[in-house]
């Protein structure tokens, strides 16, 4: 069984999409953005981690159309909250429209802002139970520094795309060119979490890599 077949098996079994997630997927496909987001089984993994950690408050850095936010929100209690930061005008407006039709909408707060500015404002509402990073790759280490200070003991930090399409360990995919700054930032992100005594960390070998850290 090839890797594509394995992925399809996992998606079909554990990544079964609700109607609202199906709607977001259809819109991402229509706009040629499907694949930038986490996949169905990765969404189920995020939901499972949130449930495992009894997560109530989440910060998501980089929301796109809200696909991962809804997966995570499904694991939150009714009074839980996920703060979703999205800088792109187009993505923010599309996410607003699509999340408005979701049963999880009361748990989701969309923030239209530069990430570091929004994070500065959110710090006073922490510490948070979980921070999920899936935004511009050159900013990952700066987002990690904020997350390390603003996630609670026992809380999670997750970064998606942390293989950086192969660029952190090799020449990388030819169709996903990366400059030296994003590569250096992602290598620093992974190295910090691998070496820090403040976190228990690992890399989850998803298609594009996801780094998981639990704060001691």
């Amino acid at each position: 069984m090839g890797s594509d077949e394995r992925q399809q098996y996992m998606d079909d079994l554990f990544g079964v999409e609700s109607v609202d997630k199906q709607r977001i997927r259809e819109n991402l496909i229509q706009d040629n953005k499907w694949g930038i987001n986490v996949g169905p089984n990765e969404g189920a993994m995020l939901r499972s981690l949130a449930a495992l950690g009894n997560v109530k408050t989440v910060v998501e850095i980089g929301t796109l159309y809200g696909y991962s936010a809804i997966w995570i929100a499904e694991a939150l209690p009714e009074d839980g909250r996920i703060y979703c930061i999205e800088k792109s005008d187009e993505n923010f407006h599309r996410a607003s429209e699509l999340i408005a039709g979701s049963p999880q909408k009361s748990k989701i707060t969309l923030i239209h802002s530069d990430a570091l500015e929004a994070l500065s404002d959110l710090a006073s509402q922490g510490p948070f139970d979980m921070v999920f990073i899936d935004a511009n790759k050159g900013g990952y280490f700066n987002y990690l520094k904020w997350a390390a200070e603003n996630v609670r003991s026992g809380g999670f930090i997750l970064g998606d795309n942390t293989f950086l399409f192969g660029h952190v360990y090799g020449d990388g995919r030819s169709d996903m060119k990366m400059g030296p700054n994003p590569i250096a930032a992602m290598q620093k992100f992974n190295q910090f979490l691998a070496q820090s005594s403040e976190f228990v960390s690992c890399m989850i070998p998803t298609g594009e890599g996801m780094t998981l850290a639990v704060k001691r």
Side-chain angles (χ1 to χ4, degrees), residues 30-92:
Q30 175 184 303
D31 296 343
N32 294 314
K33 292 183 177 181
W34 178 255
I36 300 174
N37 53 289
V38 301
N41 187 61
E42 292 168 327
M45 182 179 66
L46 292 170
R47 181 179 62 186
S48 297
L49 286 168
L52 176 67
N54 293 315
V55 166
K56 185 175 179 180
T57 57
V58 184
V59 175
E60 180 182 65
I61 306 170
T63 293
L64 197 60
Y65 285 10
Y67 188 79
S68 54
I70 289 175
W71 277 107
I72 295 169
E74 286 178 344
L76 305 183
E78 287 305 312
D79 60 344
R81 179 67 52 182
I82 175 168
Y83 299 93
C84 299
I85 303 168
E86 178 56 55
K87 183 177 181 179
S88 162
D89 291 346
E90 178 186 356
N91 292 345
F92 175 81

Side-chain angles (χ1 to χ4, degrees), residues 185-198:
M186 193 66 78
Q187 289 173 331
K188 195 173 181 181
F189 179 97
N190 287 328
Q191 288 165 359
F192 175 87
L193 290 175
Q195 297 168 4
S196 174
S197 60
E198 190 179 2

Side-chain angles (χ1 to χ4, degrees), residues 5-57:
E5 291 175 287
R6 286 196 298 269
Q7 187 62 59
Q8 193 63 55
Y9 174 76
M10 292 186 292
D11 287 348
D12 289 346
L13 194 60
F14 292 98
V16 177
E17 296 173 326
S18 55
V19 172
D20 49 351
K21 291 195 287 286
Q22 290 174 2
R23 187 181 302 112
I24 293 175
R25 174 168 50 82
E26 290 164 1
N27 278 268
L28 286 165
I29 291 170
Q30 175 184 303
D31 296 343
N32 294 314
K33 292 183 177 181
W34 178 255
I36 300 174
N37 53 289
V38 301
N41 187 61
E42 292 168 327
M45 182 179 66
L46 292 170
R47 181 179 62 186
S48 297
L49 286 168
L52 176 67
N54 293 315
V55 166
K56 185 175 179 180
T57 57

